[in-house]
Amino acid sequence: MVTCKQFLQELNAYLEDTVDPETKKHWQEHVDACPNCFVIVDTTKKTLQVYKGVEPQTLPEDVRSRLWQALEKKMAAKKQPQA
Amino acid sequence: MTSTTSVPAGFDESALVTQAKAGDQNAFAELVNRYERKIYRLAKNITRNDEDAEDVLQDAFLKAYTHLDNFKGDSKFYTWLVRIAVNEALMRLRKRKTDRSVPLDEPVELGEETVQREIAVWEDNPEQQYSQEEWRRILDEAVDSLKPDFRTVFVLRDIEELSTEETAETLGISVPAVKSRLLRARLALRETLTRQFKRKGENLLGYL
């Protein structure tokens, strides 16, 4: 019998499907029989989904322009080696 | 310049990198264009500080430019860049928290009470309940609430999508440490978000 604690310790392997079919079967039996773990699996999947869907924030224009100033300075220095 | 977040991974990239290594500054500039937003997000996610994030952004690209010869092409360019940025970010994070230090390979106990506190199904499509800014703020604050060691692993694995091995190597910790921290991070986030998004009213379990 797989306990909740044992199952939750292996939750990532379960979600990422990185276990052998036999083990997976035992875990699946636990999830099917245990409403709590069923909900945890479901909401953990949703948690990962919401973060996957987030686009990177816009880079603030002033931050971006200072980055490019620094890069251009560096590149200019490289363009004229030992004068 | 247009931002290019939707460029297919790997598209044209090895040619660009080769050109940049040969001294083509436009090619390097294109690489910067391609990844500046993602590196800024990464820096912000790890340092949680605007000033530090800007420094990390600049130093990461300047270092990448200076040390481009060290990039041997045995990983993706982005992974290499992420490593540089993470190291810069961790350095600043350590500087800021001089008050305490957490041993890097500290084992993580998975206490049962920490994961079973909030068990409820979510509203359908919770993102539709919020404005875009509000939605982003909720997700950011949840990540913010993680301890730095857990947060960093979560950011690299689940936001930047590095592999377990790449994450371990980048952070200089063991693969089991990455795994246990990722588990803790995911469960903690799940709990935080569940408090926010859980279905209100009767039928809390939703499946009955």
Side-chain angles (χ1 to χ4, degrees):
Chain A
M1 257 316 269
V2 180
T3 67
C4 292
K5 189 169 179 178
Q6 284 167 339
F7 172 72
L8 290 175
Q9 269 164 344
E10 302 301 333
L11 179 64
N12 283 345
Y14 173 83
L15 291 174
E16 287 154 15
D17 212 0
T18 52
V19 280
D20 60 276
E22 188 61 19
T23 312
K24 172 104 180 178
K25 204 179 126 223
H26 288 305
W27 291 352
Q28 194 55 52
E29 282 165 9
H30 176 82
V31 178
D32 291 343
C34 173
N36 283 354
C37 286
F38 184 87
V39 172
I40 288 180
V41 165
D42 179 63
T43 48
T44 305
K45 279 185 188 163
K46 286 177 176 159
T47 297
L48 298 181
Q49 274 163 15
V50 298
Y51 283 100
K52 288 234 186 320
V54 178
E55 278 285 297
Q57 244 164 330
T58 326
L59 185 57
E61 203 38 60
D62 55 331
V63 173
R64 186 169 190 271
S65 98
R66 286 192 292 269
L67 166 67
W68 283 90
Q69 276 168 22
L71 278 170
E72 275 157 22
K73 205 170 142 196
K74 191 91 175 175
M75 287 175 169
K78 203 172 181 178
K79 258 188 178 162
Q80 326 157 327
Q82 314 88 20
Chain B
M1 291 276 161
T2 51
S3 55
T4 51
T5 46
S6 56
V7 174
F11 180 72
D12 259 348
E13 184 147 296
S14 55
L16 268 181
V17 174
T18 308
Q19 285 165 358
K21 284 179 82 161
D24 181 344
Q25 300 191 332
N26 288 333
F28 187 77
E30 176 54 33
L31 290 168
V32 178
N33 262 325
R34 202 169 273 200
Y35 294 124
E36 57 187 4
R37 286 170 66 189
K38 289 185 80 174
I39 293 297
Y40 185 66
R41 173 181 66 175
L42 171 72
K44 192 100 180 270
N45 271 333
I46 295 179
T47 64
R48 310 314 292 194
N49 175 290
D50 287 346
E51 201 184 310
D52 284 348
E54 176 166 357
D55 288 348
V56 169
L57 176 74
Q58 285 193 15
D59 289 350
F61 280 115
L62 291 176
K63 280 201 173 158
Y65 182 72
T66 310
H67 300 289
L68 203 52
D69 282 341
N70 295 350
F71 175 66
K72 300 297 180 208
D74 43 12
S75 63
K76 283 186 287 185
F77 174 76
Y78 180 61
T79 309
W80 182 73
L81 187 60
V82 163
R83 261 181 220 159
I84 298 174
V86 168
N87 285 331
E88 292 292 321
L90 289 178
M91 217 171 63
R92 281 169 181 81
L93 197 62
R94 286 191 197 106
K95 257 187 216 160
R96 287 213 180 247
K97 58 162 196 183
T98 44
D99 51 332
R100 67 197 187 95
S101 67
V102 181
L104 272 178
D105 259 342
E106 185 185 27
V108 175
E109 287 297 318
L110 185 64
E112 213 149 351
E113 84 290 353
T114 56
V115 296
Q116 301 232 344
R117 226 178 292 144
E118 196 66 78
I119 296 176
V121 294
W122 289 9
E123 299 278 2
D124 293 330
N125 306 315
E127 69 280 4
Q128 289 171 8
Q129 318 278 327
Y130 304 92
S131 72
Q132 219 179 333
E133 297 89 72
E134 185 72 356
W135 176 250
R136 191 185 280 281
R137 191 186 56 75
I138 291 167
L139 299 188
D140 277 353
E141 282 180 4
V143 173
D144 255 347
S145 68
L146 296 173
K147 280 166 63 181
D149 285 347
F150 299 144
R151 189 171 72 224
T152 306
V153 169
F154 175 77
V155 167
L156 292 183
R157 285 285 286 111
D158 285 338
I159 297 184
E160 301 304 327
E161 301 186 323
L162 265 59
S163 70
T164 302
E165 289 73 21
E166 286 169 341
T167 304
E169 201 189 319
T170 302
L171 298 176
I173 60 177
S174 67
V175 164
V178 171
K179 288 183 174 172
S180 70
R181 286 179 201 185
L182 182 64
L183 179 61
R184 275 299 280 267
R186 285 175 171 180
L187 289 173
L189 282 177
R190 186 206 71 82
E191 190 167 318
T192 306
L193 294 186
T194 297
R195 266 184 236 123
Q196 188 88 33
F197 300 148
K198 69 182 167 189
R199 190 171 294 174
K200 316 288 189 293
E202 81 290 6
N203 193 13
L204 279 180
L205 273 175
Y207 304 107
L208 303 177

